Amino acid sequence: MVVKRRNRLLSLESILDAALACIDESGRLTMAELATRLGTSPSSVYHHLPGRAAIIEALRERVGATIDSPAVDDRDWAGAISAWMRSYRRAMAAHPNLIPLLIAQPMTSESGLRSYDRVAGLLSRAGVAEADIVPWITAFDSFALGSAFDLTAPDQPWVVADRADLPALGTAVTAGPAGRRRADTAFELGLTALLEGVSRSIEG
Amino acid sequence: MVVKRRNRLLSLESILDAALACIDESGRLTMAELATRLGTSPSSVYHHLPGRAAIIEALRERVGATIDSPAVDDRDWAGAISAWMRSYRRAMAAHPNLIPLLIAQPMTSESGLRSYDRVAGLLSRAGVAEADIVPWITAFDSFALGSAFDLTAPDQPWVVADRADLPALGTAVTAGPAGRRRADTAFELGLTALLEGVSRSIEG
């Protein structure tokens, strides 16, 4: 019994390994390509997981396991959300090609839902109006995912050398940070602005 | 002469049409798949455009042509940036699969560079420190692109029906907007928060 269960788990894991490799390399997931990579048939894959959406949801669960769950800390809700956002961006930056696939389907992943339930609870107890909680969570989400993609950008996203006709951008690029520091500074600026936006919505 | 030039332009347009169709459908662009779609050889494609990066840059120029250039309006820099952001998000939402390809390579597109030069000029004349302009532009960019992706999300991104164990998220989903209104409300909340963040950085 134990051996059988272990084999089954190994097999599920190997399917998810191969699916994530497909997505990381090509940006897409088809059951045919996945089966080819595993040296098996699509029907063997369906034996373990009911289809493409279930595989993507299992990958949400797997990548989600590398994201720190938001702390239940009502005295410092902004700190709890910041730590979650930093961890979320870092985890998704490791698999940017997975992002569009995750966005495109409803979340059923248990760890994912529990994390969002915690964020919703933090915002609610902080005093955010109930109708504004989903919009704020969406704004945080969009910023985290856009910022994860930004980590795939080249060191200098704009080619402005010797471009006297782009004076403002040229000056800004010369004066500003480049590479990873550019991305990290931007993420922290935007995160602070979003959290202050939440604070003002509570006071207002 | 006129006819010849016109043929060449038509051909370039047909390459870009096919490249955008490849990306929209599969999320990727390979010269082999592009040539197959055009019923020609990769070398015929190279005759018009020097390679994959040049095609992606030409698509940046094409999609960029549908984005309203930021107004040069120093009395209302926040309004000028808001209008640009709304137009930018709308244009990219029409081709979300193009976003990762655009982020991954340096921008040489003329209309793209001119738009960013205008945004940099607006922020500079508003009083943003030169070293902070690229980070703020990056934060706006990440939020616009993440929000464009969010427009591809299902009407309800979280499956919380009959989930008493997710009370905060369940309440928030019931109380909040769904579908396009969810996405639009989130975008406007986040955009306002980012612009107020810029304002505070000027005052501070």
Side-chain angles (χ1 to χ4, degrees), chain A residues 28 107 117 157 196 200, chain B residues 28 107 117 157 169 196 200:
Chain A
R28 66 182 184 185
M107 184 184 300
D117 187 61
E196 291 182 342
R200 265 192 317 282
Chain B
R28 68 182 181 184
M107 182 185 301
D117 187 61
L169 187 59
E196 291 183 343
R200 266 193 315 285

Side-chain angles (χ1 to χ4, degrees), chain A residues 99-100 103-105, chain B residues 92-93 95-97 146-155 182-183:
Chain A
I99 295 173
I103 292 178
Q105 70 181 34
Chain B
M92 296 316 305
H95 303 286
N97 285 344
S147 299
F149 264 121
D150 179 51
L151 284 169
T152 69
D155 265 9
R182 177 193 61 76

Side-chain angles (χ1 to χ4, degrees), chain A residues 25-28 33 60 97 99-100 102-108 110 112-114 116-118 120-122 124-125 130-143 145-154 156-160 163 165-173 175-177 181-183 185-187 189-194 196-198 200-201, chain B residues 25-28 33 60 97 99-100 102-108 110 112-114 116-118 120-122 124-125 130-143 145-154 156-160 163 165-173 175-177 181-183 185-187 189-194 196-198 200-201:
Chain A
E25 285 170 26
S26 74
R28 66 182 184 185
E33 283 174 0
R60 195 195 307 266
N97 284 345
I99 295 173
L102 295 180
I103 292 178
Q105 70 181 34
M107 184 184 300
T108 58
E110 282 303 311
L113 289 169
R114 277 196 301 276
Y116 283 92
D117 187 61
R118 285 201 179 184
L122 286 164
S124 172
R125 293 187 300 275
E130 289 299 338
D132 290 345
I133 290 176
V134 158
W136 275 118
I137 290 177
T138 301
F140 281 113
D141 234 7
S142 294
F143 186 64
L145 298 178
S147 299
F149 263 122
D150 179 51
L151 285 169
T152 68
Q156 277 296 5
W158 301 281
V159 178
V160 291
R163 289 293 300 262
D165 57 324
L166 301 168
L169 186 58
T171 303
V173 165
R181 271 194 55 235
R182 177 193 61 77
T185 307
F187 177 70
L189 271 182
L191 176 57
T192 301
L194 291 174
E196 291 182 342
V198 173
R200 265 192 317 282
S201 84
Chain B
E25 284 170 26
S26 75
R28 68 182 181 184
E33 283 173 0
R60 193 193 311 264
N97 285 344
I99 295 174
L102 294 180
I103 292 177
Q105 69 181 36
M107 182 185 301
T108 58
E110 282 303 310
L113 288 169
R114 276 195 301 275
Y116 284 93
D117 187 61
R118 284 200 180 184
L122 286 164
S124 172
R125 292 186 301 273
E130 289 299 336
D132 289 344
I133 290 175
V134 158
W136 274 117
I137 290 178
T138 301
F140 281 113
D141 233 8
S142 294
F143 186 65
L145 297 179
S147 299
F149 264 121
D150 179 51
L151 284 169
T152 69
Q156 278 295 7
W158 301 280
V159 179
V160 291
R163 288 294 301 264
D165 58 325
L166 301 168
L169 187 59
T171 304
V173 165
R181 270 194 55 236
R182 177 193 61 76
T185 308
F187 177 70
L189 272 183
L191 177 57
T192 301
L194 290 175
E196 291 183 343
V198 173
R200 266 193 315 285
S201 83

Side-chain angles (χ1 to χ4, degrees), chain B residues 24-166:
Chain B
D24 284 343
E25 284 170 26
S26 75
R28 68 182 181 184
L29 179 67
T30 69
M31 295 301 277
E33 283 173 0
L34 176 58
T36 302
R37 181 180 283 263
L38 287 162
T40 184
S41 64
S43 63
S44 301
V45 177
Y46 284 117
H47 182 69
H48 291 280
L49 284 150
R52 185 177 175 277
I55 294 173
I56 292 168
E57 220 44 35
L59 291 176
R60 193 193 311 264
E61 190 79 27
R62 180 192 274 202
V63 174
T66 69
I67 302 173
D68 299 334
S69 222
V72 181
D73 180 359
D74 291 344
R75 289 159 312 168
D76 184 20
W77 60 267
I81 291 176
S82 291
W84 169 69
M85 284 282 285
R86 291 186 189 111
S87 172
Y88 182 22
R89 166 186 178 242
R90 195 165 43 234
M92 296 316 305
H95 303 286
N97 285 344
L98 183 59
I99 295 174
L101 282 61
L102 294 180
I103 292 177
Q105 69 181 36
M107 182 185 301
T108 58
S109 145
E110 282 303 310
S111 63
L113 288 169
R114 276 195 301 275
S115 282
Y116 284 93
D117 187 61
R118 284 200 180 184
V119 176
L122 286 164
L123 292 174
S124 172
R125 292 186 301 273
V128 176
E130 289 299 336
D132 289 344
I133 290 175
V134 158
W136 274 117
I137 290 178
T138 301
F140 281 113
D141 233 8
S142 294
F143 186 65
L145 297 179
S147 299
F149 264 121
D150 179 51
L151 284 169
T152 69
D155 265 9
Q156 278 295 7
W158 301 280
V159 179
V160 291
D162 305 317
R163 288 294 301 264
D165 58 325
L166 301 168

